[in-house]
Amino acid sequence: MDITHKVSNSINIIQLGGRFDAHEVAPVVAWLKGQAEAGKVNLVVNLAGVNFIDSTALSTLVQGLKHCREKNGELHLCCMQQPVRVIFELTRLDKAFSIYTSEEEATAFQA
Amino acid sequence: MFADLIHLHQNDFQTIAEAWIRVGAQAIRLVEHGEMIASMPKDISFSKKEIIGRNASGSLELHIHGMNDGAWQSIADAMTELFSHVLTTETEMEELTASLVETQDKLVALYELTQSARRALKIDDLLDLLIQESRRLLDADGAFTAIYFNNHRPQIRQSAIEPLPEAHLHAASTIYRKDTRRHNFKDSMTLPRGLSNVIMSTLPVRENVFACIGVFNKTGDFTSHDIKLLRAIAEQSGAQIDNALLYQEALARTRFETEMDLARQVQIALLPQSIPTLDGLDIYGASAPASQVGGDFFDIIARKGQPLVFMLGDITGKGMPAALLMTMTRTTARSAARNMPFSRPDQIVKRLNTDLLDDFSTVSMFSTAFIGTFDPVNRSLLFSNAGQSPILFMPVQGEPQLLEAQDIPIGIFEDYEYISQTLSLVPGDVLVAATDGFNESRNNAGEMFGMERMLLALKHLRGLSARGIADGLFKAVNNFSEDHPQDDDRTIIVLKVSERMESVSFQIPAGYEDLRIAAKALRELLMLHKVQESVINNCELAMQELLSNIVEHSYSGNKDKMIEVRLQVDGKRLIIETRDSGIPANIKLESVAMPDPLELQVGGYGMAIIQALMDEVQHQYKNEKNLWTLTKKI
């Protein structure tokens, strides 16, 4: 999986690419943990490059969302490809997350 | 011969003698054939004067001494005649009694023999009893029986104080067999050594078997009574021997049939019990043996990483010899195909020819064979045809054709160089290798099924699977021959090149990164079948969820453990099967539900996703393995 870190509007963004599955979740889990420890509670996960997501990855994102919300923050998702969006709809997690079509929208909301 | 009997009539003689003496005779004598058999008084000197009375035959004379008056002559003659009559009657009585006693003896002996014989079911026991009793009843040193089942050597049994070589008894029975009117032999010149005398009688058994009994080496000679008794014994025993022969044959036949049945079962068990599956090739083989054991064989051998080998053959002839050679040929072929690395068909056939030539030549038999290998990667068929027919090739486009045999059968020439031919196949091509039990089947009118009918049937069946084609050809030939009994084995192998890969099986280690391998295989298979991208994605995710579950829960991430995966496209369905030997999955499939999204549940999505994406989800724990089956219409 390709991972890029980015800060925009003082919001930490992680850009993911490729398969986001059980085998690839570890760096994302680590990043989320690091953000929580640093007190960063508003985060964006850009899924633009992700063409495959499985339940382990979903659980990882749900875990991150829970942490952020506990601290009155939010974990935003953006730029989902169609196959990934399908899975969110299937699991109805599209109802739980704030999902944006672009990174700008996701960060703009924070401002 | 009256001499023995006169004592019985001593009183009568005395009465007559005294009567003569009273009328002046000095002495009376009874003379038979010039020999005195009675006289009275005993010691006298006879005077010259005498009257001689004679019976009608002149064999008996009554000499009356001391009288010469011719007037007494006729009285003397009459008295002699009367005496002769009495004595003759007495003799007859005596003989009759003797004969009655003897008859009685014989009857008792025969009765005993019959009674014992009845209990002897086995032919050898019966014959032994017969010769022992005959020997005893006829008071001879030995007895024997000879049974000629064919024209050559008889089966001999004997009972004797000093047993003779079988050859001598064989010789004696042969002399008798040449002319059964002669039955009493006592000429030591014509008899084999060791036989001083012998009497023979025919045992009346069925027509095509000659059997006789002989009794030999009696002190003195055999009498006509002995011969009569032996004949009576022989006549009495014939039916019993016949029964015993029948019994023995029935027993042998039953045993033979049981053995044949067993041989047939062994043969059937030797045929492949299951047909290996191969990606890219639909192959099927079957054999319908005729009622007896036969000489057809076929085999399909899948070897890991090597082309599939298939073979079919027919040993000349039928019955046990063909069956034995078939077993040998098949075993040799199988070991050649298995153990020779990268064996080409011509190498296998050559090896068969080399290994079996001696055995085939010894019994003047041979075997036809068709051996092929199929490489699914480049779809090339390599084959050697050692005299096998019919081999029918049905290209997906074009007319069916007969592939003539290029080489001679196995077991004829040493060092014959067999060749392999190549046939490049395309999906839909069909090859049928069969034995002549198909095309040479006959109906009740005596017509042959023939190649034309076979090709025509094949043309109609070409659209079916390999098994469908084989079943169809069996049916066609059965319909044609109606109730005409199947004369020969019918064996067939059908190959049909698959339009596309139907299935793929592999194993992956229980690590998350290795699940990619399965995903790639699944995508490739489904893309080959031109399945929609979105459906492929769904199937991939469902499989991913299943495999992750196994890695996490069943094997706890132990990468040394393996997961078996089989992906199959069966018509319009995808079937994903996995097997793992980890912890039994403890899950109630029916109560799995998608977690409420607002509860932000971490986990619990996997199985729910699988159920949402697939049409059927099954789990079984069997033989210490988790078996998962996911099915999806595609």
Side-chain angles (χ1 to χ4, degrees):
Chain A
M1 189 169 65
D2 308 317
I3 300 175
T4 312
H5 301 288
K6 194 177 161 185
V7 183
S8 178
N9 283 346
S10 75
I11 289 178
N12 288 354
I13 301 172
I14 187 166
Q15 295 177 328
L16 305 179
R19 286 178 78 93
F20 185 20
D21 65 8
H23 179 51
E24 306 285 3
V25 290
V28 179
V29 170
W31 179 77
L32 286 170
K33 198 177 167 214
Q35 298 302 311
E37 283 165 0
K40 301 280 184 186
V41 293
N42 282 301
L43 305 170
V44 172
V45 179
N46 184 340
L47 297 167
V50 175
N51 52 22
F52 181 86
I53 189 165
D54 74 356
S55 67
T56 310
L58 288 175
S59 294
T60 303
L61 294 177
V62 172
Q63 178 78 358
L65 179 62
K66 272 178 82 171
H67 273 275
C68 291
R69 289 208 177 150
E70 279 165 14
K71 311 276 190 231
N72 296 314
E74 186 66 36
L75 186 137
H76 304 277
L77 304 180
C78 71
C79 312
M80 280 183 198
Q81 289 185 25
Q82 183 59 22
V84 175
R85 176 169 285 279
V86 167
I87 307 307
F88 273 85
E89 287 166 4
L90 181 78
T91 53
R92 295 184 291 154
L93 285 170
D94 57 334
K95 306 274 188 293
F97 284 93
S98 313
I99 300 173
Y100 303 91
T101 49
S102 68
E103 214 174 88
E104 289 70 32
E105 282 179 62
T107 49
F109 185 80
Q110 293 301 308
Chain B
M1 53 202 234
F2 292 153
D4 298 339
L5 299 168
I6 189 66
H7 67 277
L8 294 170
H9 293 276
Q10 198 61 47
N11 291 344
D12 301 331
F13 177 72
Q14 205 170 331
T15 308
I16 288 164
E18 280 166 2
W20 282 111
I21 288 166
R22 273 198 295 277
V23 294
Q26 291 170 340
I28 311 293
R29 290 190 300 159
L30 195 60
V31 176
E32 185 188 15
H33 299 301
E35 234 174 85
M36 189 184 76
I37 58 171
S39 71
M40 191 182 163
K42 295 240 186 269
D43 310 309
I44 54 147
S45 55
F46 300 118
S47 72
K48 295 265 185 222
K49 282 195 297 183
E50 63 173 6
I51 295 171
I52 299 177
R54 290 184 175 83
N55 66 350
S57 67
S59 62
L60 194 69
E61 294 171 353
L62 190 65
H63 293 233
I64 303 152
H65 298 271
M67 290 184 72
N68 60 357
D69 186 345
W72 294 103
Q73 181 65 47
S74 60
I75 294 168
D77 286 344
M79 276 188 168
T80 310
E81 183 60 39
L82 189 64
F83 238 103
S84 168
H85 186 70
V86 167
L87 286 174
T88 300
T89 307
E90 192 63 50
T91 308
E92 283 171 1
M93 280 286 287
E94 189 81 352
E95 278 177 356
L96 201 61
T97 309
S99 144
L100 266 173
V101 167
E102 198 176 280
T103 305
Q104 170 84 3
D105 279 353
K106 282 181 196 167
L107 279 173
V108 169
L110 281 177
Y111 178 76
E112 281 173 357
L113 185 59
T114 312
Q115 289 302 306
S116 322
R118 225 179 250 171
R119 285 189 295 272
L121 270 177
K122 286 195 207 152
I123 182 77
D124 288 350
D125 293 350
L126 179 66
L127 293 175
D128 285 348
L129 186 73
L130 181 65
I131 51 184
Q132 280 157 19
E133 287 301 299
S134 303
R135 202 185 120 193
R136 188 177 68 81
L137 288 168
L138 293 168
D139 192 24
D141 284 359
F144 74 101
T145 54
I147 301 183
Y148 293 74
F149 290 102
N150 47 44
N151 276 322
H152 311 297
R153 248 190 121 67
Q155 284 183 21
I156 304 254
R157 290 193 82 78
Q158 68 169 315
S159 159
I161 295 169
E162 284 176 49
L164 296 176
E166 254 187 32
H168 294 188
L169 299 176
H170 177 188
S173 62
T174 304
I175 296 169
Y176 170 65
R177 195 184 175 200
K178 277 183 192 147
D179 179 6
T180 54
R181 286 170 303 181
R182 279 191 66 199
H183 39 68
N184 189 355
F185 305 86
K186 43 193 171 182
D187 177 3
S188 58
M189 293 299 283
T190 56
L191 283 174
R193 210 147 39 83
L195 284 168
S196 56
N197 51 22
V198 57
I199 53 172
M200 304 285 306
S201 182
T202 306
L203 293 163
V205 291
R206 77 189 65 169
E207 259 177 33
N208 54 350
V209 176
F210 177 81
C212 59
I213 182 169
V215 181
F216 56 89
N217 293 357
K218 180 173 175 134
T219 314
D221 277 336
F222 287 105
T223 64
S224 57
H225 290 301
D226 293 339
I227 292 165
K228 278 184 201 155
L229 178 57
L230 182 63
R231 196 171 292 154
I233 291 170
E235 270 162 21
Q236 191 64 35
S237 314
Q240 306 229 355
I241 291 172
D242 232 4
N243 282 343
L245 283 175
L246 273 177
Y247 175 76
Q248 177 177 265
E249 281 164 8
L251 207 66
R253 200 165 39 240
T254 309
R255 193 175 298 138
F256 180 70
E257 275 165 10
T258 310
E259 279 168 8
M260 286 295 265
D261 208 39
L262 212 62
R264 219 169 94 85
Q265 283 174 30
V266 168
Q267 273 204 312
I268 290 170
L270 279 177
L271 296 175
Q273 299 300 300
S274 65
I275 308 291
T277 54
L278 183 74
D279 295 330
L281 184 71
D282 180 14
I283 186 166
Y284 182 73
S287 185
S291 54
Q292 280 199 334
V293 288
D296 277 14
F297 65 93
F298 81 96
D299 208 349
I300 301 171
I301 302 155
R303 304 165 302 164
K304 218 170 190 166
Q306 288 183 36
L308 176 106
V309 181
F310 61 95
M311 58 180 77
L312 169 140
D314 184 0
I315 314 286
T316 48
K318 284 172 205 158
M320 225 25 150
L324 287 172
L325 281 171
M326 166 273 192
T327 310
M328 251 165 56
T329 309
R330 184 197 166 275
T331 310
T332 311
R334 197 177 174 81
S335 91
R338 272 184 187 281
N339 303 330
M340 290 166 68
F342 306 106
S343 32
R344 290 196 316 267
D346 60 299
Q347 294 172 317
I348 300 174
V349 180
K350 190 164 167 52
R351 165 85 181 275
L352 277 181
N353 192 46
T354 311
D355 287 5
L356 299 173
L357 185 83
D358 283 350
D359 295 311
F360 275 112
S361 317
T362 309
V363 290
S364 307
M365 291 173 92
F366 58 87
S367 172
T368 59
F370 182 87
I371 298 186
T373 60
F374 181 77
D375 182 351
V377 178
N378 52 24
R379 293 197 185 112
S380 74
L381 174 77
L382 219 57
F383 66 90
S384 279
N385 187 349
Q388 186 62 47
S389 177
I391 309 297
L392 308 173
F393 176 51
M394 177 107 194
V396 69
Q397 283 179 340
E399 290 297 303
Q401 47 187 274
L402 187 68
L403 299 183
E404 303 279 358
Q406 297 294 312
D407 290 320
I408 60 164
I410 295 163
I412 295 177
F413 286 133
E414 200 179 349
D415 299 330
Y416 182 86
E417 288 302 327
Y418 289 90
I419 55 163
S420 283
Q421 291 172 278
T422 313
L423 205 54
S424 276
L425 302 178
V426 298
D429 282 354
V430 174
L431 184 89
V432 174
T435 56
D436 56 12
F438 275 91
N439 53 315
E440 289 179 7
S441 283
R442 288 180 185 277
N443 63 11
N444 287 329
E447 289 174 286
M448 262 193 341
F449 185 59
M451 219 65 91
E452 289 305 313
R453 282 193 187 84
M454 199 163 170
L455 285 167
L456 190 69
L458 183 58
K459 219 169 156 177
H460 289 133
L461 297 164
R462 65 191 297 169
L464 301 178
S465 66
R467 173 154 198 175
I469 293 169
D471 288 349
L473 284 171
F474 273 114
K475 209 173 158 187
V477 75
N478 277 334
N479 286 345
F480 172 79
S481 48
E482 293 173 321
D483 57 346
H484 189 79
Q486 186 185 335
D487 300 320
D488 200 359
D489 295 355
R490 292 174 192 152
T491 305
I492 194 168
I493 290 182
V494 179
L495 278 79
K496 187 172 188 180
V497 180
S498 303
E499 299 282 349
R500 50 204 175 186
M501 214 188 335
E502 305 288 336
S503 71
V504 56
S505 302
F506 51 89
Q507 292 195 346
I508 50 169
Y512 291 118
E513 69 272 32
D514 299 300
L515 307 187
R516 300 279 163 90
I517 301 167
K520 187 165 172 276
L522 179 73
R523 292 197 83 84
E524 278 176 5
L525 178 68
L526 294 181
M527 276 159 74
L528 268 174
H529 287 263
K530 302 188 171 65
V531 177
Q532 268 184 25
E533 180 67 23
S534 60
V535 177
I536 296 180
N537 290 342
N538 289 345
C539 294
E540 183 186 346
L541 179 58
M543 185 177 72
Q544 168 81 11
E545 295 302 337
L546 174 63
L547 295 174
S548 312
N549 253 333
I550 294 169
V551 170
E552 189 183 347
H553 301 295
S554 188
Y555 284 140
S556 307
N558 183 349
K559 289 183 191 173
D560 296 335
K561 301 291 185 181
M562 300 299 286
I563 307 171
E564 295 168 46
V565 183
R566 179 175 154 81
L567 308 173
Q568 189 194 347
V569 175
D570 167 15
K572 286 274 156 208
R573 290 186 312 162
L574 167 72
I575 302 164
I576 300 169
E577 290 174 313
T578 69
R579 282 157 207 267
D580 68 83
S581 54
I583 299 163
N586 180 19
I587 188 162
K588 281 192 177 143
L589 288 174
E590 64 279 7
S591 54
V592 170
M594 198 62 81
D596 183 342
L598 301 178
E599 284 180 6
L600 297 184
Q601 199 173 308
V602 181
Y605 299 95
M607 194 49 70
I609 289 175
I610 296 173
Q611 290 209 343
L613 294 177
M614 303 307 279
D615 298 331
E616 268 179 56
V617 180
Q618 273 183 30
H619 171 259
Q620 273 186 292
Y621 190 74
K622 209 172 155 186
N623 300 329
E624 309 197 328
K625 279 190 174 178
N626 286 301
L627 310 181
W628 287 95
T629 310
L630 311 184
T631 311
K632 174 77 178 169
K633 240 179 119 177
I634 52 174

